[in-house]
Amino acid sequence: MGLLPGSYTAMATVFCKGPAVLNPPPKTIGFPRIIQEIQEQQTSQIFLCCFLEKPSSSGLFCTVIVNITHTAPGSPSKTIRFLNVAFDSSGDSLLAGDHQGNIYVFDLKGNRFNLVQRTMQACTALAFNLRRKTEFLVALADYSIKCFDTETKELVSWMRGHDSSVSSISVNGSGRYAITTSTDTAQLWDLDTFQRKRKLNVRHSVGIQKVFFLPLSNTILSCFKDNSVFAWEFDTLHCKYQLPTPVEGSTLLYKVFAVTRDGRIFVAGGKSNHLHLWCLESKQLIKIIQMPTKVRAVRHLEFLPDSFDGGSNQVLGVLSQDNMMRFINIETCKLLFAIGSHEEGISTAAISPNGRYIASVMENGSVNLYSVQALTQEANKPPPPQFKVVEDWPRCKSEANKLTMKVSSGRSERPWKSKGNKIQTRLLKVQANTSLENKENELPGGLNKKRLQALLKGYGEYPAKYRMFVWRSLLQLPENHLAFSSLIDKGTHSAFVNIQNEYPIKSRKLLRVLQRTLSALAHWSAIFGETPYIPLLAFPFVKLFQNNQLICFEVVATVVVNFCQHWFEYFPNPPVNVLSMMENILAHHDKELLQHFIKYNVTSQVYAWPLLETLFSEVLTREEWLKVFDNIFSNHPSYFLMIVVAYIVCSRAPLLHCNQRQDFEASMREQETAATVQDVEVRQMELESQRQLFEQHLIKDQESSAQEMKEEIDASRRKADLEDHVVQRLMETDREEKQKAQMVAEENLAKAEQKCVEIDWRLQALHKLRHDDKDREKHYEEIAKLLHDNRVKEAELLKALREAEEKKWEEVVRKKAQLEEEQKAAAAAHEHRKQFLEDEMNDALNLAEKLQREDAYFERLRDLKAGHTGREVEFQQMPKSGNVCLNDLSASESSSYMSSVRRRELACQERELMAEVRQLRQKLTAQARVRHPPTHLSSTKWTT
């Protein structure tokens, strides 16, 4: 009993009006004609024939609803292989993708299929359980993930970020977030914005096997290639826990994983015929199941949902390397049924959330759809169990690595010994039925169902103080806040918008809680929005749990699942099957009353159905109703029907007096009114008796209080006298002590005064020293400041000197360059002057030659031409008169007077010409000095 985590979704489609009707087809649907319709029309019917039953190689019957084959157009022999399949959250629609990128949706309830997308790439993973029911996720061969809409057939979003092929897509219970997993990373996506929120990176040497959400939980489970399994908090992504290392020596490397719908049991398998069962609550390995020897590796694991198991799935599907999928019971370790064979092997499989269908992708590329109901029929009983428990640790306290057991067939074997340890050997077997019963009797919170039943039998009810706690333990409420919040977020259901018109409740709070609870039920399963008696059924629990809406919803849902599970088989009519059961019970215990009902054509819908749909809330008082449900919750669900029949039998006297249908209905209403009046009268009598009893107790209490008060007064007087005497003695003692203390105080005062004087003197000296120290410190600070300022100024001066030095050096370089230019100019002037003198001398020589030719003065002019540098000296050495020349020339044989005159004129012209040359030289020198004055260099310079 109980509504456990995971059953919220499982119950979403339990109360359907009827299963999908299948029309008769030929033996398979893989004929070319049907495939041609798929390719050309892109939409058609799925089922054209009835079930096809054929024995598999294992000897078990494999019930196939339909086989879907996709062939290429124009060549029926060429098959387009399907790669992946996925169910939606309701289990009534199947999504399938092939290696060419075609995505088909198969509506199993509407008997239609539709081509919704052509991605042109092979798909590696599919997810069809998003919050928006028409959207689905597909992982493609280019490592991207795309979201499409099945109705509009348009691309909703394109998500990138993986560097390798995406192997799995996990969507959380709300459908808002998804985790995509590849070998090197796992990424968390927000499906509202299609943005990546977080990324999980690992070392390449470790590798990721799978990362997925636990069903209807706030936990993410990550499984790595080194067999480590971590659980993460979804909101903060902080590590919650890590599963311990498996048994030492185990060669099983985890490859595939599965979790029950309540998130409590975690199963792992790999390249071995062993399956490890972990309890995620205790974080312990509780069982190891050994598959048959023909199973050498496990390729896929998935639990088979059951609408009424509360999410604690017991049937596990195991797909092994031989391409067969075996379904076993993990508690009894029995083989229930198997699908697939060596000839028609299964590549992968998916199970619908409602537990009705199994879709398998076959090795030949087709898709088989199986009916779980047909597979689990009594006629298809499996052979004797082929499984045995290797290790079973429900309360394991020793470390896992201290014991490694080999597979045994009935006798104990010695375990492997570790160094320095001696371990006792014991045979591990499946627990007996008694232990299973004890396990069923154990309730949450440390309670035991048998002890509670004994307590209830002894007192007739549970203590009012602990009743709610006991109920929650008996019903095993999951308190799934996440799932309940997702239902509340959907708002008020349209069926209960105007509920106040039909049920005018004065308390607005109670009306609001009732409306929210009913809306959550309707969102959980649509049938509750169409059920007229749901408000009557839920109202007593809403009134009782109005301060805790989560508990209220889960209690109502648990009551519906466990006590009203067969009420909806004839919906919208009352449950005829349940009412017939109560008529049979009434016939067994009171045939006379039943014959009376039959005689006047009064059916169980008149005398029993009103009690059922209101849960006795209109015929019992609050206290009686609580007592009744104390017993109902503590017993089998059929106990509820027994109480209805018992109530009718107890009311047989007034019912036997009725002879019309209206009388019976009025009698039932009168019983309700009479019960209410009787309750009021009983309550008044109880109040009156309580009042009288209270008055009697009050008089006795007053008398006893007066006596006690008198005794207390006498005692207080005696105590006061004694205290006075003690006070007098204390006062005398205190006076003596005060005198002694005064003398001691005076002496101490004198010593203290003397000490105070000494301390004052020391304080003054200390103050003076401190004052001197402060002055000295202040002086030191001023000196330090001056030194600092001097250093700053010295640094500035040094900087300025360096800048001046640089400027002087620049000026020296500039003047040196200027001097060199002037020297070059002077040299050029000198060369010019030299050239000028040479030109002049050449002119003079030409003139002298002319004179020589005329007057034969060739030799003296030749001396003049020998060096123009010594011309001035030679002219100075020449005689001032022409006598020498005349004497030198006295040897001439012929001279005349005219010739001598001519020579004197030439000498005068020569002297004038030399004078002019000297003047010209002086002018040139003067002009050169004016143009280029001499440079005066400083006699000092900076050195480094």
Side-chain angles (χ1 to χ4, degrees):
M1 182 185 298
L3 184 68
L4 302 177
S7 59
Y8 280 25
T9 304
M11 281 298 301
T13 56
V14 167
F15 307 116
C16 297
K17 296 184 180 179
V21 179
L22 308 180
N23 301 323
K27 288 193 175 180
T28 65
I29 206 170
F31 291 116
R33 179 179 63 82
I34 302 301
I35 298 169
Q36 188 69 17
E37 290 177 2
I38 291 176
Q39 294 165 351
E40 292 180 357
Q41 299 177 7
Q42 298 184 0
T43 177
S44 180
Q45 291 186 356
I46 307 173
F47 310 118
L48 303 176
C49 59
C50 58
F51 290 165
L52 170 66
E53 295 186 357
K54 54 183 178 180
S56 63
S57 60
S58 62
L60 301 177
F61 280 90
C62 180
T63 305
V64 181
I65 298 177
V66 65
N67 172 263
I68 305 171
T69 304
H70 188 188
T71 59
S75 54
S77 60
K78 183 178 180 181
T79 302
I80 300 176
R81 300 172 55 84
F82 285 100
L83 298 179
N84 290 280
V85 291
F87 284 94
D88 67 347
S89 57
S90 66
D92 292 330
S93 294
L94 176 67
L95 195 71
D98 58 29
H99 73 276
Q100 290 187 354
N102 300 314
I103 308 295
Y104 288 92
V105 171
F106 298 89
D107 185 359
L108 306 180
K109 194 173 182 181
N111 193 14
R112 306 290 294 177
F113 73 85
N114 190 14
L115 175 62
V116 295
Q117 195 56 231
R118 295 182 186 272
T119 62
M120 310 305 293
Q121 298 183 67
C123 66
T124 59
L126 293 171
F128 199 19
N129 53 342
L130 278 61
R131 183 166 64 175
R132 293 177 287 274
K133 304 303 180 183
T134 60
E135 294 181 359
F136 66 92
L137 296 176
V138 54
L140 301 176
D142 62 352
Y143 312 151
S144 65
I145 304 99
K146 292 184 179 181
C147 180
F148 295 100
D149 193 292
T150 58
E151 291 183 354
T152 63
K153 300 183 181 180
E154 294 180 353
L155 176 64
V156 178
S157 181
W158 192 354
M159 298 174 284
R160 289 181 174 273
H162 284 277
D163 297 327
S164 58
S165 178
V166 176
S167 58
S168 68
I169 303 175
S170 174
V171 182
N172 73 334
S174 65
R176 181 180 176 184
Y177 300 97
I179 294 177
T180 55
T181 306
S182 59
T183 56
D184 56 348
T185 183
Q187 302 186 17
L188 175 64
W189 304 89
D190 188 338
L191 298 183
D192 285 343
T193 61
F194 294 99
Q195 298 293 323
R196 185 176 68 189
K197 294 191 65 178
R198 300 296 288 271
K199 181 178 181 181
L200 175 64
N201 292 319
V202 297
R203 296 191 306 271
H204 183 71
S205 59
V206 177
I208 300 175
Q209 290 287 10
K210 190 175 182 181
V211 180
F212 56 95
F213 288 99
L214 289 184
L216 295 177
S217 174
N218 207 26
T219 304
I220 297 174
L221 216 61
S222 60
C223 309
F224 301 95
K225 292 184 179 180
D226 60 353
N227 276 16
S228 59
V229 179
F230 292 85
W232 310 85
E233 187 71 30
F234 170 67
D235 296 331
T236 60
L237 291 180
H238 290 163
C239 183
K240 295 175 65 176
Y241 58 83
Q242 178 186 2
L243 295 183
T245 306
V247 183
E248 183 180 354
S250 174
T251 58
L252 176 59
L253 294 178
Y254 293 163
K255 296 287 185 181
V256 290
F257 314 91
V259 181
T260 57
R261 295 302 172 99
D262 59 5
R264 295 184 177 181
I265 301 299
F266 170 70
V267 183
K271 291 185 178 180
S272 172
N273 64 343
H274 288 179
L275 299 176
H276 285 189
L277 270 69
W278 293 84
C279 178
L280 296 182
E281 292 181 341
S282 61
K283 289 84 175 175
Q284 291 182 352
L285 182 66
I286 58 174
K287 187 180 294 184
I288 297 179
I289 298 178
Q290 181 180 0
M291 299 291 289
T293 54
K294 64 179 69 175
V295 176
R296 298 189 303 274
V298 179
R299 294 167 50 190
H300 182 69
L301 292 172
E302 189 166 358
F303 278 98
L304 180 63
D306 190 344
S307 301
F308 298 102
D309 62 1
S312 57
N313 312 129
Q314 302 296 317
V315 180
L316 176 65
V318 183
L319 177 62
S320 56
Q321 92 290 339
D322 59 357
N323 300 327
M324 291 185 61
M325 192 167 187
R326 299 170 175 84
F327 288 82
I328 64 172
N329 189 303
I330 60 175
E331 288 294 331
T332 61
C333 297
K334 291 183 179 180
L335 174 64
L336 303 179
F337 57 88
I339 58 176
S341 63
H342 297 289
E343 296 80 12
E344 297 182 1
I346 297 175
S347 174
T348 184
I351 302 176
S352 63
N354 55 16
R356 293 182 180 178
Y357 307 108
I358 301 174
S360 64
V361 179
M362 312 305 290
E363 289 291 327
N364 58 11
S366 64
V367 174
N368 278 358
L369 189 65
Y370 301 88
S371 170
V372 175
Q373 182 179 1
L375 289 168
T376 55
Q377 286 178 353
E378 191 69 21
N380 294 335
K381 289 185 178 180
Q386 303 182 37
F387 306 90
K388 51 182 174 292
V389 176
V390 180
E391 299 182 40
D392 194 354
W393 300 322
R395 292 194 180 116
C396 181
K397 296 182 180 179
S398 62
E399 297 181 0
N401 58 0
K402 290 185 178 180
L403 182 63
T404 302
M405 299 294 295
K406 294 183 178 180
V407 179
S408 60
S409 59
R411 59 186 180 86
S412 172
E413 295 185 3
R414 292 183 178 275
W416 297 344
K417 294 182 179 181
S418 58
K419 296 181 179 180
N421 292 330
K422 293 184 178 181
I423 306 173
Q424 295 181 354
T425 304
R426 63 185 181 91
L427 181 63
L428 299 175
K429 298 181 179 179
V430 184
Q431 293 181 345
N433 293 332
T434 55
S435 61
L436 294 176
E437 292 177 359
N438 293 334
K439 186 177 181 180
E440 291 179 358
N441 289 325
E442 294 296 330
L443 299 175
L447 300 179
N448 185 280
K449 190 173 182 179
K450 286 190 175 181
R451 294 180 182 177
L452 289 176
Q453 289 176 343
L455 179 67
L456 183 63
K457 186 176 181 179
Y459 293 93
E461 62 177 331
Y462 292 127
K465 184 177 181 181
Y466 302 104
R467 175 176 280 120
M468 298 301 104
F469 171 71
V470 173
W471 281 15
R472 289 164 65 177
S473 300
L474 288 170
L475 298 178
Q476 300 182 19
L477 302 182
E479 300 186 26
N480 194 329
H481 295 270
L482 182 62
F484 180 67
S485 299
S486 65
L487 295 175
I488 291 297
D489 292 342
K490 295 180 180 180
T492 303
H493 195 272
S494 58
F496 304 107
V497 173
N498 299 319
I499 192 174
Q500 66 274 7
N501 299 332
E502 188 176 357
Y503 299 97
I505 302 175
K506 293 182 179 180
S507 174
R508 309 191 101 189
K509 177 184 177 182
L510 189 60
L511 178 63
R512 185 169 59 254
V513 175
L514 177 63
Q515 189 179 46
R516 288 183 179 177
T517 304
L518 296 177
S519 298
L521 288 170
H523 290 309
W524 183 45
S525 181
I527 196 171
F528 292 131
E530 303 174 8
T531 307
Y533 55 84
I534 280 295
L536 298 175
L537 186 145
F539 180 74
F541 297 105
V542 171
K543 191 172 183 179
L544 190 63
F545 297 100
Q546 57 183 311
N547 293 324
N548 193 332
Q549 299 181 33
L550 171 64
I551 299 300
C552 176
F553 169 79
E554 292 187 345
V555 168
V556 175
T558 305
V559 169
V560 171
V561 170
N562 293 276
F563 299 93
C564 311
Q565 53 184 305
H566 301 295
W567 288 21
F568 304 89
E569 295 181 2
Y570 294 88
F571 179 83
N573 299 316
V576 179
N577 52 344
V578 177
L579 297 177
S580 299
M581 292 170 58
M582 288 193 293
E583 286 185 356
N584 295 334
I585 298 171
L586 182 60
H588 179 76
H589 291 282
D590 197 337
K591 291 185 179 180
E592 181 183 359
L593 183 57
L594 180 61
Q595 291 297 328
H596 183 71
F597 288 148
I598 296 173
K599 179 180 179 181
Y600 293 102
N601 198 22
V602 177
T603 63
S604 55
Q605 296 184 21
V606 176
Y607 62 82
W609 178 236
L611 300 175
L612 285 176
E613 65 180 357
T614 60
L615 300 182
F616 294 98
S617 61
E618 294 184 357
V619 298
L620 298 177
T621 63
R622 175 187 172 89
E623 298 299 327
E624 291 174 346
W625 187 87
L626 293 173
K627 293 178 182 178
V628 167
F629 272 87
D630 283 344
N631 289 271
I632 290 175
F633 290 155
S634 301
N635 292 279
H636 192 272
S638 61
Y639 185 82
F640 181 36
L641 306 182
M642 303 299 176
I643 289 183
V644 175
V645 177
Y647 183 84
I648 295 170
V649 172
C650 292
S651 304
R652 69 189 310 271
L655 293 175
L656 290 175
H657 288 87
C658 299
N659 53 15
Q660 292 183 3
R661 184 184 180 92
Q662 293 80 2
D663 295 339
F664 285 99
E665 294 176 354
S667 177
M668 297 299 295
R669 289 194 296 269
E670 287 176 1
Q671 289 180 21
E672 297 173 6
T673 308
T676 305
V677 173
Q678 183 180 2
D679 291 338
V680 173
E681 292 177 353
V682 171
R683 186 62 179 170
Q684 288 179 352
M685 293 175 63
E686 290 178 354
L687 291 174
E688 183 64 24
S689 61
Q690 289 178 2
R691 185 183 63 79
Q692 294 177 0
L693 184 62
F694 177 74
E695 290 178 353
Q696 293 176 1
H697 286 305
L698 182 61
I699 293 171
K700 291 181 179 179
D701 291 341
Q702 288 178 351
E703 292 177 355
S704 60
S705 298
Q707 183 66 27
E708 290 175 359
M709 184 65 69
K710 184 177 180 180
E711 293 177 356
E712 288 179 359
I713 292 172
D714 294 339
S716 62
R717 286 178 180 175
R718 291 193 296 271
K719 187 177 179 180
D721 294 340
L722 181 60
E723 288 177 353
D724 290 340
H725 179 68
V726 172
V727 167
Q728 291 294 332
R729 292 290 302 273
L730 288 175
M731 290 176 64
E732 293 177 357
T733 304
D734 186 55
R735 191 181 300 111
E736 293 176 356
E737 290 180 354
K738 282 183 178 180
Q739 291 177 355
K740 293 180 181 179
Q742 186 176 2
M743 295 175 64
V744 173
E746 290 177 354
E747 294 177 358
N748 292 335
L749 180 60
K751 294 179 180 179
E753 289 178 353
Q754 183 64 29
K755 196 71 174 177
C756 183
V757 172
E758 294 178 358
I759 292 174
D760 289 340
W761 179 79
R762 291 182 179 179
L763 284 174
Q764 290 177 0
L766 183 60
H767 287 324
K768 187 175 181 181
L769 290 175
R770 287 182 179 176
H771 183 69
D772 294 341
D773 292 340
K774 288 181 179 179
D775 293 340
R776 194 179 298 106
E777 289 178 359
K778 186 176 180 181
H779 182 63
Y780 289 162
E781 289 177 356
E782 292 176 355
I783 293 173
K785 186 176 180 182
L786 292 175
L787 290 174
H788 180 265
D789 294 341
N790 289 337
R791 292 193 191 98
V792 172
K793 290 180 179 180
E794 287 177 357
E796 293 176 354
L797 180 59
L798 182 60
K799 183 177 180 181
L801 291 175
R802 289 179 179 175
E803 291 177 355
E805 181 183 0
E806 292 177 356
K807 291 180 180 179
K808 287 293 184 181
W809 277 110
E810 291 177 356
E811 185 178 358
V812 168
V813 171
R814 182 175 55 81
K815 289 184 177 181
K816 186 176 181 180
Q818 184 178 0
L819 178 61
E820 290 177 353
E821 292 177 357
E822 290 179 355
Q823 288 177 351
K824 290 179 180 179
H830 179 70
E831 290 294 329
H832 180 72
R833 187 172 62 253
K834 182 178 179 181
Q835 185 67 31
F836 175 77
L837 291 176
E838 288 179 354
D839 294 340
E840 291 294 329
M841 289 299 299
N842 289 332
D843 294 340
L845 289 174
N846 291 333
L847 181 62
E849 288 178 357
K850 185 177 180 182
L851 293 176
Q852 182 182 6
R853 285 192 302 267
E854 293 177 358
D855 299 325
Y857 287 114
F858 176 74
E859 292 181 1
R860 195 170 65 88
L861 292 176
R862 187 180 54 187
D863 296 334
L864 180 63
K865 185 179 179 180
H868 62 85
T869 54
R871 289 187 186 98
E872 293 180 0
V873 178
E874 291 176 356
F875 287 133
Q876 290 176 1
Q877 293 177 356
M878 291 176 58
K880 302 215 175 157
S881 64
N883 295 327
V884 177
C885 294
L886 294 176
N887 294 329
D888 291 337
L889 296 177
S890 63
S892 299
E893 293 182 357
S894 64
S895 61
S896 64
Y897 175 75
M898 291 298 293
S899 299
S900 61
V901 173
R902 183 62 179 168
R903 284 194 296 272
R904 284 194 297 271
E905 290 177 359
L906 289 174
C908 291
Q909 289 178 358
E910 183 180 0
R911 284 193 297 271
E912 290 175 1
L913 180 60
M914 292 302 297
E916 289 176 1
V917 169
R918 291 191 195 97
Q919 291 177 1
L920 181 60
R921 185 182 297 173
Q922 290 175 359
K923 287 180 181 180
L924 290 174
T925 305
Q927 289 178 1
R929 288 179 180 176
V930 172
R931 289 177 184 175
H932 304 286
T935 303
H936 299 281
L937 299 178
S938 175
S939 61
T940 60
K941 63 179 180 179
W942 290 95
T943 58
T944 56

